[in-house]
Amino acid sequence: MTYLILNGLANGLILGVIYAMIGVSLSLLYGVLQVKNFAHGEFLIAGAYFCYVLYNAFDLHPLLALPLAFLCFMAFGWLLNNLVMPRLQRSDDPMLASLLVMYGVSLMLAASMLLLFEADFRSLDFSFEPISMKVGMLYLPTARLVAMGVTVAILLVLAWFLYFTLPGKAIRASIMNRDAVQIVGVNIKRLSAAAFALSIGLAGASGVMVSMVFPSFNPFVGVDYTLIGFIVVVLGGLGNPMGAILGGLVFGLAEQMSIVFLPQTMAPIIGFSIMILVIFFRPNGLLGKARTS
């Protein structure tokens, strides 16, 4: 039993870090633009397919595909923002309009991936040497440990960007009070475009990590990751990127530890139960604060 508990904790931390990255990218977009990105999971799976194509067509190492995925998806996010957001902001109800548009984007992305790759599950036929590493009394897959290390590094760089650079501080200030940021002279349109691009870029990078950690993926599993992202964001606090890191760790640990003690089918129920409890007792999330109007 001790081995099972330690294994559950280790896998919970690994998956929790991946979930944290998914939540952070989703939280950034919601915090700055108040956009509920229902296409987030599809962008993530598109990132997984991006890595899959580069590896199979050009034998490109997944870790080398990671920065390419980030840059390509960031550019696509910038383009999508410039095409869609100005029109949405002129609508009578921008939040509802953005919800419907992003849901439509999710359907288009899923249909495009289905057309290109069909409905079969695909997997990244790649392994590190050695395949597993001994950590204490556990043998953990090297790919998972590498993915965890890289994701932690990305989150640390993101935290540095948000807390120690002027654009990052402007993003955090916009999350706190969008109107006040405009008063002090920040170009909110440019800032929003940067946040949108960064969010989509991180989603694409998360897809590369998912392709390394999870055994397979297909065009229809994007909705599962969108759901995980929203659970993580709610746990950490809406519009709180750092809170999303805590939310991801809590959700990952709860999911994996429930598998140790309960039937595997109970894992999603435990995750949802924790989310409901947080909504009841801490409506603004574990690290969230009341949003300034």
Side-chain angles (χ1 to χ4, degrees):
M1 179 57 74
T2 302
Y3 178 84
L4 292 176
I5 293 174
L6 291 175
N7 192 62
L9 288 172
N11 283 312
L13 286 173
I14 293 171
L15 296 185
V17 168
I18 303 295
Y19 293 161
M21 187 168 168
I22 297 171
V24 166
S25 55
L26 190 60
S27 185
L28 276 173
L29 189 55
Y30 178 81
V32 177
L33 287 93
Q34 294 290 286
V35 170
K36 300 178 180 67
N37 185 9
F38 280 93
H40 201 76
E42 278 69 28
F43 281 115
L44 185 149
I45 295 301
Y49 275 116
F50 183 88
C51 179
Y52 173 84
V53 169
L54 289 182
Y55 178 71
N56 285 279
F58 304 104
D59 199 26
L60 189 67
H61 195 288
L63 294 182
L64 295 179
L66 178 64
L68 290 177
F70 176 74
L71 292 174
C72 290
F73 278 76
M74 194 171 181
F76 183 79
W78 186 281
L79 177 63
L80 183 63
N81 174 83
N82 292 334
L83 288 175
V84 173
M85 292 312 298
R87 293 169 176 80
L88 294 181
Q89 290 168 356
R90 292 195 298 267
S91 65
D92 294 333
D93 190 344
M95 289 187 67
L96 177 60
S98 65
L99 187 152
L100 295 174
V101 167
M102 296 313 293
Y103 180 67
V105 170
S106 75
L107 294 178
M108 288 190 293
L109 285 174
S112 299
M113 289 186 287
L114 179 62
L115 181 65
L116 291 172
F117 301 103
E118 301 181 341
D120 298 334
F121 278 90
R122 304 295 176 95
S123 61
L124 198 63
D125 187 20
F126 175 85
S127 61
F128 289 89
E129 292 293 338
I131 295 176
S132 63
M133 297 180 66
K134 187 176 183 181
V135 180
M137 62 184 297
L138 302 176
Y139 284 91
L140 299 173
T142 305
R144 287 197 165 200
L145 292 174
V146 170
M148 179 184 180
V150 172
T151 305
V152 168
I154 293 172
L155 292 175
L156 289 174
V157 171
L158 181 62
W160 171 82
F161 170 75
L162 291 175
Y163 283 86
F164 296 102
T165 68
L166 285 177
K169 291 177 181 178
I171 288 175
R172 287 172 51 230
S174 176
I175 291 173
M176 297 175 189
N177 193 317
R178 186 179 177 90
D179 295 331
V181 167
Q182 297 181 75
I183 292 172
V184 299
V186 174
N187 187 326
I188 196 66
K189 291 184 178 179
R190 189 172 297 173
L191 184 68
S192 298
F196 198 108
L198 179 60
S199 174
I200 302 303
L202 288 172
S206 299
V208 177
M209 295 296 99
V210 164
S211 71
M212 293 173 58
V213 170
F214 291 93
S216 61
F217 50 88
N218 76 352
F220 301 113
V221 299
V223 64
D224 296 335
Y225 291 103
T226 299
L227 191 58
I228 288 172
F230 278 112
I231 292 174
V232 168
V233 168
V234 170
L235 288 176
L238 292 172
N240 187 333
M242 295 301 103
I245 295 177
L246 177 60
L249 292 173
V250 168
F251 183 71
L253 287 168
E255 181 185 67
Q256 292 302 305
M257 292 307 295
S258 64
I259 293 174
V260 174
F261 295 103
L262 301 170
Q264 187 170 356
T265 53
M266 291 290 292
I269 297 175
I270 299 299
F272 278 111
S273 299
I274 293 174
M275 183 187 72
I276 292 169
L277 289 173
V278 168
I279 291 173
F280 270 114
F281 294 105
R282 289 197 54 92
N284 294 315
L286 297 174
L287 296 183
K289 296 179 182 179
R291 190 182 179 88
T292 304
S293 301

